[in-house]
């Protein structure tokens, strides 16, 4: 407790809140200043590193050509410049002469060969779908190439793409021949003689399964066209020598850059206007204008009526179109980065090797983010609003609002501090009262124990309970009380209205272990009866239901006298839970009689004879479309058989669906471990030799789910893991279905003539929002938190488990499923599919899973469909039958 004169915690921390508020104000002002100045600086710096528009537009379509020629075998005709590249023949005699030519080429056409064959069936060169414009001194139809005199045969022609298209792209071999190959390259000279006898432009084609960006022909002449070359990373480096260049050198000169006016231009260098369109072509000794190029290209038809340029305009090229649109939007004033980013992305999808499109897509995205920051900062500093006819700048207004928020923060902190002190004081008083009640309860328990020693003892049956480590292990509950004589029973004094508490040294009631005063079994706070011995409990002086009603003790005293021929109850659980005062002759009558066959006949209160029931089961699971290459985290179990309930052999079915969480194998392990544990717990107790009380069936299922939760939680603690699982389970005995669920796996009930009804309640965030009326039921399928659950197996030692009881009739269907079904397929659609094929449960299960896959298959999907049917004869004597289970789940020993 606080000493007198000492300030409370809420009163002493207001100055801390003020300091935090001032710091927040300083940070806000700093953010405004930095965002207004830094954002524009970032934008200018980013654009300063970009290439010019003509380089970006045409730099992806300019290529480097490397042509290799062979001169006839003449040992005396070996030019001096090619001696280093001559291969040696036999006996060291050089019998062949090779020399290389290099220069630039420009892709002017690219289309799909398959589309060309469809649109122009009679095209002569359908497969030659990529066309390059260059100089005859690089690629010669006559074979002279860059060699000044003489002639030769073209051996290989390689095309190297620029670094702006793809810095890692391998060169394409456009042509390769040998001495026996007489097929010529698909080449056309664009001079008047069409024979490449003089310095002339050349166009050649090669086949490719990809579409490339190409350079368009300019519509008008340019005053000062720019020369675009391929150099090293430094723009000032000189051009590559045109004769006898090596492949290693060619791979280094692939960076597109604008060349100075006095630079030495390579053969085939394109000259462009500001938009990147082709205006002129630089040859070895002259320059060809665009009008001459267009006229010459019209003479190169793949067919007799259709020209190369006409075909290129008729066929769509998504790479070229989107790249051109992206560059236009990126370099426009003001730039449209949003549209540019979209066009660059489409170009990349059309050609995944086009890394230049990916680079500019990232640039557009970064510039878009910077513009958003700068726009918001500019608006915050420059935009003003009018108040009473007076313009007020936004920035001072923001500062004023922050000041008001700081004052409110201080006042709120003081108020919460005072309330916190009051709550602590109330909690301290409550803990003190609970400690006093604990001491008093200990004293009263001793008095009740003395009174209970005088009660008669009832025989208690040993109930086999399966454990994880030993499926056949059993335990016997502690006997109710010591036996006393009937004479001593008449001296029983009614116990006082006080609680029974076991641990009187605990500091608070939260640490006290509550037990039944009749059989010493653990009970929970607020229980109205003991789940073990069925003894009714009523509130004691402490407010806990730990007192045995006096009437119950008197009734048990009267019924304690032994009667000849009577068979004792096998368990206190068989006693009726209703309080009554028997007549004297009823006390002398036998409780049950033994038939001639030796079987005890007992009548359960309110229980009607069961109709013969049979269960039809259909199951199906699928990892889903998006997770088909990952482990299936869903697991299910389905089994049926017979059990004994109050001496009557009844059919039962046990069905479980678990949806694991934790990622990959961890989720699968969690769901399988949970199913293994519930099987180990329940199956041994369902053996026909065990006589079960009907009121204990739902408790048996709930305890099995709790055992599964403890197993997963213990596994998490041992391995420091974070896995879990949802679960829905149905335990059907005759015509009664006991259903439990934890998480968002569901159980539905369909009855003919009625709508599909959800039995369970989802333990999810969206379900709680629907229950609170915050969102509509249909919103759970689109809400951003639709996959978040607040209850699952394995998160803590003990969890709350929802339990439901449903009477089933002939023709009913129970549907157990994971969220992979209902999240993809809505309830009305599920109901419609059940109605379409309700006669075959396996068809229903298969159809539901296929419907979830058709809707997207985002998650694992598992389904169990159980059909309730009246059997022709009672299903007595059937053995235990497993219908579906995970391959790792092992059944406990049943004999």
């Amino acid at each position: 407790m606080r000493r007198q004169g000492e300030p409370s915690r809420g009163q002493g921390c207001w100055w801390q809140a003020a300091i935090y508020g001032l710091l927040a104000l300083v940070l806000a002002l700093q953010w405004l200043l930095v965002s207004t100045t830094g954002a524009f600086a970032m934008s200018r710096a980013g654009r300063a590193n970009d290439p010019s528009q003509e380089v970006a537009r045409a730099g992806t379509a300019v290529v480097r050509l490397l042509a290799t020629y062979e001169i006839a075998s003449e040992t005396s005709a070996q030019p001096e410049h090619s001696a280093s590249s001559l291969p040696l023949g036999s006996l060291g005699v050089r019998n062949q002469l090779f020399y290389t030519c290099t220069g630039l080429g420009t892709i002017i056409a690219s289309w799909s060969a398959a589309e060309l064959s469809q649109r122009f069936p009679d095209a002569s060169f359908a497969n030659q779908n990529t066309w390059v414009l260059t100089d005859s001194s690089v690629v010669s139809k006559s074979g002279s190439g860059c060699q000044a005199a003489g002639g030769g045969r073209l051996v290989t022609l390689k095309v190297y793409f620029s670094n702006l298209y793809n810095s890692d792209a391998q060169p394409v071999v456009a042509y390769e021949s040998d001495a026996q190959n007489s097929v010529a390259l698909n080449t056309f000279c664009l001079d008047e003689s069409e024979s490449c006898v003089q310095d002339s432009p050349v166009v050649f084609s090669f086949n490719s399964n990809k579409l490339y960006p190409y350079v368009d022909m300019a519509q008008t002449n340019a005053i000062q066209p720019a020369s675009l070359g391929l150099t090293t990373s430094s723009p000032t480096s000189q051009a590559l020598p045109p004769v006898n260049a090596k492949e290693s050198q060619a791979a280094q000169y692939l960076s597109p850059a604008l060349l100075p006016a006095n630079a030495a231009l390579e053969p085939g260098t394109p000259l462009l206007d500001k938009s990147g369109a082709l205006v002129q072509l630089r040859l070895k000794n002259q320059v060809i204008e665009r009008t001459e190029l267009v006229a010459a290209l019209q003479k190169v038809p793949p067919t007799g009526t259709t020209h190369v340029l006409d075909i290129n305009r008729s066929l769509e090229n998504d790479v070229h179109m989107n790249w051109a649109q992206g560059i236009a939007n990126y370099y426009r004033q003001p730039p449209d980065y949003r549209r540019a980013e979209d066009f660059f992305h489409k170009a990349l999808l059309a050609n995944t090797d086009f890394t230049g499109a990916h680079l500019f897509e990232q640039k557009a995205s970064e510039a878009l983010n910077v513009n958003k920051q700068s726009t918001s900062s500019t608006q915050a500093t420059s935009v003003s609003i009018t108040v009473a006819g007076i313009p007020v700048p936004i920035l001072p207004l923001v500062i004023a609002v922050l000041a008001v928020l700081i004052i409110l923060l201080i006042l709120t902190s003081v108020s919460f501090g005072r309330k916190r002190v009051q709550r602590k004081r109330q909690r301290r008083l409550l803990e003190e009262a609970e400690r006093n009640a604990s001491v008093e309860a200990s004293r009263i328990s001793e008095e009740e124990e003395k009174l209970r020693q005088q009660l008669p003892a009832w025989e208690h049956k040993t109930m086999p309970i399966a454990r994880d480590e030993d499926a056949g292990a059993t335990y016997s509950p502690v006997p109710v009380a010591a036996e006393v004589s009937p004479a001593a029973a008449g001296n029983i004094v009614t116990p006082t209205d006080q609680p029974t508490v076991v641990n009187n040294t605990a500091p608070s009631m939260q640490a006290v272990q509550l037990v039944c005063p009749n059989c010493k079994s653990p009970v929970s706070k607020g229980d109205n009866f003991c789940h073990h011995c069925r003894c009714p409990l009523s509130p004691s002086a402490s407010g806990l239901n730990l007192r045995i009603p006096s009437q119950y003790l008197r009734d048990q005293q009267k019924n304690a006298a032994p009667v000849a021929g009577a068979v004792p109850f096998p368990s206190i659980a068989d006693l009726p839970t209703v309080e009554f005062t028997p007549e004297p002759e009823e006390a002398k009558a036998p409780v049950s009689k033994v038939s001639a066959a030796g079987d005890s006949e007992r009548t359960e209160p309110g229980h009607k004879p069961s109709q013969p029931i049979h269960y039809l089961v259909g199951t199906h699971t699928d990892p889903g479309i998006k997770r088909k290459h990952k482990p299936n985290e869903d697991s299910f179990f389905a089994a049926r058989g017979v059990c004994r309930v109050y001496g009557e052999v009844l059919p039962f079915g046990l069905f479980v669906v678990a949806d694991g969480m934790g990622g990959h194998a961890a989720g699968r392990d969690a769901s399988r471990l949970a199913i293994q544990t519930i099987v180990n717990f329940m199956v041994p107790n369902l053996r026909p030799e065990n006589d079960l009380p009907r009121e204990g069936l739902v408790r048996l299922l709930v305890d099995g789910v709790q055992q599964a939760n403890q197993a997963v939680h213990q596994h998490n603690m041992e391995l420091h893991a974070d896995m879990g699982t949802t679960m829905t389970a149905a335990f059907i005995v005759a015509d009664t279905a006991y259903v439990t669920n934890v998480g968002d796996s569901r159980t539905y009930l369909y009855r003919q003539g009625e709508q599909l009804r959800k039995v369970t309640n989802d333990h999810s965030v969206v379900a709680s929002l629907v229950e609170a009326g915050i969102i509509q039921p249909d919103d759970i399928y689109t809400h951003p938190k639709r996959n978040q659950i607040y209850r699952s197996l394995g998160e803590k030692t003990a969890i709350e488990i929802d339990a439901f009881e449903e009477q089933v009739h002939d023709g009913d269907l129970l549907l157990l499923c994971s969220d992979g079904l209902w999240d993809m397929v809505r309830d009305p659609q599920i109901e419609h599919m059940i109605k379409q094929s309700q006669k075959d449960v396996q068809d229903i299960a298969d159809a539901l899973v296929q419907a979830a896959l058709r809707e997207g298959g985002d998650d694992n999907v598992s389904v169990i469909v159980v059909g309730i049917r009246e059997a022709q004869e009672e299903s007595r004597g059937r053995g235990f039958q497993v219908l579906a289970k995970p391959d790792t789940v092992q059944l406990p020993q049943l004999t």
Side-chain angles (χ1 to χ4, degrees):
M1 298 178 67
R2 179 171 57 90
R3 294 191 299 270
Q4 186 177 3
E6 179 183 355
S8 67
R9 185 181 300 271
Q11 296 171 348
C13 67
W14 66 269
W15 56 271
Q16 298 178 358
I19 293 177
Y20 293 149
L22 292 175
L23 289 176
L25 179 59
V26 172
L27 292 176
L29 292 176
Q30 182 181 4
W31 174 80
L32 289 174
L33 294 175
V34 170
S35 59
T36 54
T37 57
F40 290 110
M42 291 172 59
S43 178
R44 289 194 299 268
R47 292 297 303 269
N49 295 329
D50 291 339
S52 61
Q53 182 175 357
E54 54 264 46
V55 174
R57 173 66 182 84
T60 58
V62 176
V63 296
R64 177 166 295 280
L65 304 177
L66 192 66
T68 304
Y69 291 89
E70 175 193 16
I71 295 180
S73 178
E74 288 281 348
T75 56
S76 60
Q78 297 179 4
E80 183 179 353
H81 69 270
S82 61
S84 59
S85 62
L86 291 177
L88 293 177
S90 60
L91 301 179
V93 178
R94 296 174 179 173
N95 53 11
Q96 286 181 322
L97 173 63
F98 293 90
Y99 64 94
T100 59
C101 300
T102 185
L104 301 183
T106 304
I107 300 177
I108 60 171
S110 180
W111 56 66
S112 170
E115 187 177 358
L116 176 64
S117 300
Q118 294 178 358
R119 295 281 300 276
F120 303 98
D122 57 342
S124 304
F125 307 103
N127 293 330
Q128 305 296 317
N129 59 335
T130 304
W131 294 73
V132 180
L133 179 66
T134 184
D135 185 4
S136 61
S137 64
V138 181
V139 178
S140 176
K141 186 175 182 180
S142 60
S144 60
C146 57
Q147 182 69 25
R153 184 174 64 90
L154 180 64
V155 178
T156 60
L157 176 60
K158 293 185 178 180
V159 179
Y160 291 79
F161 295 96
S162 70
N163 292 335
L164 187 55
Y165 170 80
N166 188 335
S167 59
D168 296 327
Q170 297 297 320
V172 173
V173 179
Y175 178 78
E176 186 173 10
S177 178
D178 51 28
Q180 289 75 28
N181 192 349
S182 59
V183 179
L185 178 67
N186 188 28
T187 309
F188 296 92
C189 290
L190 302 183
D191 56 353
E192 294 181 357
S193 62
E194 299 181 5
S195 59
C196 293
V197 296
Q198 57 185 354
D199 196 16
S200 63
V202 172
V203 62
F204 70 92
S205 62
F206 63 93
N207 182 33
S208 176
N209 57 357
K210 297 183 182 297
L211 296 177
Y212 297 101
Y214 55 85
V215 176
D216 292 312
M217 290 291 179
Q219 300 299 319
T220 59
N221 295 329
I223 299 176
Q224 291 181 346
S227 302
L228 179 62
L230 294 182
T231 67
T232 59
S233 57
S234 175
T236 59
S237 62
Q238 297 181 355
L240 187 65
V243 181
N244 205 29
K246 298 181 180 179
E247 292 191 16
S248 59
Q249 292 177 310
Q252 296 177 1
Y253 285 75
L254 296 177
S255 298
L258 293 180
L259 302 177
N262 57 354
L265 303 182
E266 293 184 77
T269 300
L271 282 76
L272 313 170
D273 60 11
K274 294 297 183 181
S275 64
L278 183 63
V279 178
Q280 299 174 349
L281 179 67
R282 177 66 185 182
L283 303 180
K284 184 176 181 182
N285 299 314
Q286 62 175 328
V287 174
I288 303 297
E289 297 292 336
R290 65 173 186 86
T291 54
E292 299 178 46
L293 292 174
V294 172
L297 286 172
Q298 294 297 329
K299 301 177 181 179
V300 186
T303 65
T305 58
T306 307
H307 304 285
V308 172
L309 293 182
D310 295 336
I311 292 178
N312 203 46
R313 296 189 188 100
S314 301
L315 301 181
E316 294 182 357
N317 184 329
D318 292 338
V319 178
H320 171 75
M321 179 186 67
N322 289 294
W323 176 249
Q325 292 290 338
I327 291 297
N329 284 277
Y330 187 88
Y331 285 92
R332 62 175 294 185
Q333 294 298 330
D336 189 349
Y337 293 121
R338 172 65 66 187
R339 289 175 56 84
E341 181 185 14
D342 183 61
F343 282 119
F344 290 143
H345 182 70
K346 292 179 180 179
L348 180 61
L349 292 179
N351 185 348
T352 56
D353 290 343
F354 194 4
T355 57
H358 179 62
L359 173 64
F360 271 79
E361 179 187 6
Q362 291 180 332
K363 287 177 175 288
S365 177
E366 294 172 359
L368 188 63
N369 294 333
V370 171
N371 279 359
K372 287 182 179 179
Q373 297 176 3
S374 61
T375 302
S376 60
S377 303
T378 303
Q379 293 175 352
T381 55
S382 61
V383 177
S384 61
I385 60 176
T386 302
V387 179
I390 302 175
V392 179
I394 292 295
L395 180 59
L397 183 61
V398 171
I399 296 175
V401 172
L402 288 176
V404 173
L405 292 177
I406 291 172
I407 295 175
L408 293 177
L409 179 63
I410 296 174
L411 295 177
T412 304
S413 176
V414 173
S415 176
F416 279 140
R418 291 176 178 176
K419 291 182 180 179
R420 186 165 56 250
V421 171
Q422 294 176 0
R423 287 196 300 269
K424 285 188 176 181
R425 184 183 298 111
Q426 294 174 358
R427 186 163 56 250
R428 193 180 302 112
L429 294 176
L430 180 60
E431 292 176 353
E432 184 177 358
E434 289 180 345
R435 285 195 296 267
N436 295 335
S438 176
V439 175
E440 183 67 15
S442 177
R443 181 185 64 80
I444 295 173
S445 66
E446 295 178 359
E447 296 180 1
E448 289 189 346
E449 182 67 24
K450 294 179 182 179
L451 294 175
R452 199 161 40 249
Q453 295 298 328
Q454 305 177 30
L455 293 178
W458 295 287
E459 181 181 358
H460 198 71
K461 181 180 177 181
T462 299
M463 185 68 178
I465 301 294
R467 302 175 182 171
D468 293 341
E469 64 273 14
D470 186 3
T474 62
Y475 78 92
S476 299
V478 180
V480 175
E483 293 186 3
V484 295
S485 63
N491 299 326
I492 295 179
V493 182
T494 302
T496 58
D497 185 13
Q498 299 294 343
T500 300
V501 184
V502 172
N503 186 4
N504 57 5
T505 62
S508 66
M509 289 302 293
Q510 294 179 352
V512 175
Q513 179 183 2
L514 305 179
V515 297
C516 173
N518 187 36
C519 66
K520 298 297 184 181
S521 298
V523 295
S524 301
K525 181 179 179 180
D527 285 351
N528 294 323
F529 60 90
C530 175
H531 294 285
H532 192 75
C533 67
R534 309 299 297 179
C535 173
L537 303 174
S538 62
S540 59
S542 63
L544 303 177
N545 288 355
L546 294 177
R547 173 180 172 272
I548 304 177
S550 303
Q551 182 64 35
Y552 178 79
L553 295 175
R554 287 194 294 270
D555 293 343
Q556 299 305 325
Q557 173 188 352
K558 293 178 182 180
N559 292 330
V563 182
V567 177
F569 285 105
S571 171
I572 288 181
D574 296 332
L575 290 173
T577 59
V578 224
E579 296 186 6
F580 64 94
T581 304
E583 298 297 332
E585 53 271 13
E586 290 180 354
K588 297 180 182 180
V591 179
S592 60
K593 298 180 180 180
V594 181
S595 64
D599 295 333
S600 61
E601 298 178 356
R602 291 172 292 180
T603 302
E604 179 190 356
H607 175 60
K608 299 180 181 179
S610 302
Q611 296 295 330
I613 294 293
H614 183 57
Y615 310 118
L616 304 178
V617 182
T619 61
H620 197 157
T621 185
D622 194 279
I625 295 177
K626 294 188 177 181
R627 301 187 180 185
K628 61 181 178 180
H629 299 300
K630 299 179 181 179
N632 191 342
E633 298 181 83
D634 285 0
S635 300
F636 57 57
F637 179 84
R640 61 190 176 192
V642 292
C643 62
R644 185 180 298 274
V645 180
Y646 275 129
E648 183 181 4
V649 177
L650 299 175
F652 78 86
L654 178 60
F655 311 100
V656 186
V657 171
D659 183 0
M661 300 172 294
H664 301 289
R668 179 184 59 184
D669 294 343
S671 62
R672 293 188 175 187
L673 176 59
I675 288 183
Q676 179 70 73
T677 305
I678 196 173
V679 169
N680 287 348
F681 180 83
M682 292 195 63
V683 171
N685 291 292
L686 298 176
R687 291 180 294 188
E689 57 267 26
N690 294 332
D691 200 358
L692 305 174
R694 178 170 291 274
E695 62 271 15
L697 296 179
V698 65
R699 190 65 196 179
L700 181 64
L701 179 61
V702 171
D703 289 346
V705 178
Q706 195 68 258
Q707 290 280 341
N709 168 70
Q710 294 174 1
V712 179
H713 178 71
Q714 180 66 25
H715 191 71
N716 281 334
M717 294 299 101
E718 293 175 355
L719 301 182
H720 303 286
D722 188 22
M723 66 182 186
T725 182
T726 68
M727 177 176 287
T728 184
F731 179 36
I732 313 176
V733 179
D735 57 354
T736 304
Y738 306 97
V739 179
T740 61
N741 85 294
V742 176
D744 59 353
S745 293
R746 293 180 176 180
T747 294
Y748 292 89
L749 174 63
Y750 173 75
R751 182 166 294 160
Q752 294 181 359
E754 299 180 8
Q755 292 183 345
L756 180 71
R757 177 166 57 88
K758 182 163 65 73
V759 178
T760 56
N761 297 322
D762 296 342
H763 303 140
S764 61
V765 174
V766 291
S768 62
L769 295 178
V770 172
E771 185 177 357
I774 299 176
I775 63 175
Q776 297 298 321
D778 287 342
D779 295 339
I780 64 175
Y781 300 99
T782 57
H783 198 276
K785 295 185 178 181
R786 62 183 179 275
N787 296 324
Q788 296 183 10
I789 61 175
Y790 58 82
R791 192 186 302 174
S792 62
L793 300 185
E795 59 182 344
K796 51 187 176 181
T797 306
I799 59 168
E800 183 180 353
I801 302 170
D802 290 356
F804 311 88
E805 182 175 339
E806 292 284 346
Q807 292 295 320
V808 293
H809 307 128
D810 178 43
D812 288 356
L813 284 177
L814 275 179
L815 168 62
L816 291 78
C817 63
S818 62
D819 64 336
L821 174 66
W822 62 260
D823 194 28
M824 295 285 102
V825 186
R826 305 289 177 90
D827 290 1
Q829 186 178 356
I830 295 176
E831 178 182 350
H832 176 72
M833 298 179 69
I834 291 177
K835 290 180 180 179
Q836 291 296 322
S837 57
Q838 59 179 328
K839 294 184 179 180
D840 192 330
V841 292
Q842 187 59 50
D843 289 347
I844 297 175
D846 296 339
L848 292 175
V849 172
Q850 292 301 321
L853 298 179
R854 286 195 303 270
E855 295 297 330
D858 294 344
D859 198 359
N860 309 145
V861 53
S862 297
V863 170
I864 298 179
V865 181
V866 184
I868 312 298
R869 301 291 185 270
E870 288 188 2
Q872 298 298 326
E873 58 182 10
E874 293 194 26
S875 303
R876 297 182 181 273
R878 289 186 179 178
F880 184 72
Q881 181 183 10
V882 177
L883 305 175
K885 73 177 184 66
D887 53 1
T888 59
V889 171
Q890 301 296 325
L891 295 178
Q893 186 68 30
L894 300 180
T895 58

